[in-house]
Amino acid sequence: MVPAQTGPEGRTRLEVARLLLEKGPITAAAIAQRLGISPTAVRRHLDALIAAGEAEARRPSARARRGRGRPAKEFLLTDAGRARFGHAYDDLAVAAIRFLAEHSGPEAVRAFAEHRVATLVGPHAAEITAAGDPARRAEALASALSREGYAATTEQVGAGEQLCQHHCPVAHVAAEFPQLCEAETAAFARLLGTHVQRLATIARGDAACTTHVPVNNAGPRGEGKPA
């Protein structure tokens, strides 16, 4: 699903991204002609998409080069950029988990969710647990999640840290199967060595998945309490 765009700038950027999806590789001049806006405006949007890792530029192939002068760059979406528009994989995943729930029951869904998050964070577990106190572990976890595509950050808030995941590749699936979020929260608690609380999730329509990590009164390892 395409994220909500607000304001003329956001809507135009979405139109630029959609042209890259449908017509790419395509030049900035061709985009400007199709959208009826200036090449300068198009390049501004392209620069923003490239900076976000959602688009890339490349030289045209030898076959496409004609005439004199330096050939214009062509632009196309990256995998991250294509993910903005969603794809059939989400629907396939939902259908598969529905089948699992109907034929094997809710425990099978929970077991799948736990296996998935173990696969996600397991390779980074040693790095995270070696970081020391919960605050440093939260930073290490955010770094690991970012490498896995979750665009995670941490911020000190009061007596704790807030771990924010600004992207969730499985948000569409988790909206129907919250077990995915619950298993993730529990795994975070074990890795961080303290009780954590999920305050918000992209799957429920929030801007980010936000997990509160207390750092002053860290207790024994335990299960997280999902929101």
Side-chain angles (χ1 to χ4, degrees):
M1 180 179 296
V2 181
Q5 304 289 317
T6 58
E9 282 285 295
R11 288 193 292 271
T12 302
R13 188 158 302 159
L14 178 60
E15 290 176 354
V16 170
R18 190 178 297 280
L19 267 180
L20 295 181
L21 176 73
E22 296 174 353
K23 304 296 183 181
I26 186 172
T27 65
I31 295 172
Q33 183 177 15
R34 286 176 175 272
L35 296 183
I37 60 177
S38 71
T40 300
V42 169
R43 287 189 174 86
R44 184 175 68 250
H45 291 297
L46 289 172
D47 287 344
L49 290 168
I50 290 171
E54 296 184 355
E56 61 184 1
R58 73 180 190 186
R59 293 293 176 190
S61 64
R63 181 179 298 178
R65 296 175 187 172
R66 292 189 179 93
R68 298 179 179 178
R70 188 177 184 181
K73 290 181 180 178
E74 295 178 333
F75 300 87
L76 65 162
L77 290 183
T78 62
D79 288 342
R82 286 189 290 272
R84 288 165 56 93
F85 295 91
H87 40 55
Y89 297 138
D90 285 348
D91 294 335
L92 177 62
V94 169
I97 299 177
R98 283 176 183 165
F99 182 88
L100 183 66
E102 291 171 4
H103 291 267
S104 301
E107 287 305 313
V109 176
R110 186 170 301 277
F112 167 78
E114 291 172 351
H115 173 74
R116 177 194 166 273
V117 74
T119 302
L120 173 69
V121 299
H124 309 285
E127 170 192 348
I128 295 167
T129 56
D133 60 45
R136 290 187 176 86
R137 289 188 181 191
E139 293 174 359
L141 176 57
S143 178
L145 289 171
S146 291
R147 293 196 295 273
E148 296 290 345
Y150 285 76
T153 60
T154 59
E155 179 182 1
Q156 184 176 356
V157 178
E161 294 278 328
Q162 281 194 353
L163 172 67
C164 294
Q165 297 156 250
H166 302 279
H167 176 61
C168 177
V170 297
H172 179 68
V173 182
E176 181 168 343
F177 296 98
Q179 296 95 322
L180 294 173
C181 296
E182 293 165 4
E184 187 178 89
T185 306
F188 289 178
R190 289 191 293 270
L191 284 169
L192 300 176
T194 185
H195 170 84
V196 303
Q197 185 176 17
R198 184 59 62 88
L199 303 178
T201 64
I202 295 172
R204 294 188 312 196
D206 298 303
C209 297
T210 304
T211 305
H212 177 70
V213 183
V215 298
N216 288 346
N217 298 306
R221 294 175 183 265
E223 299 296 311
K225 181 181 178 181

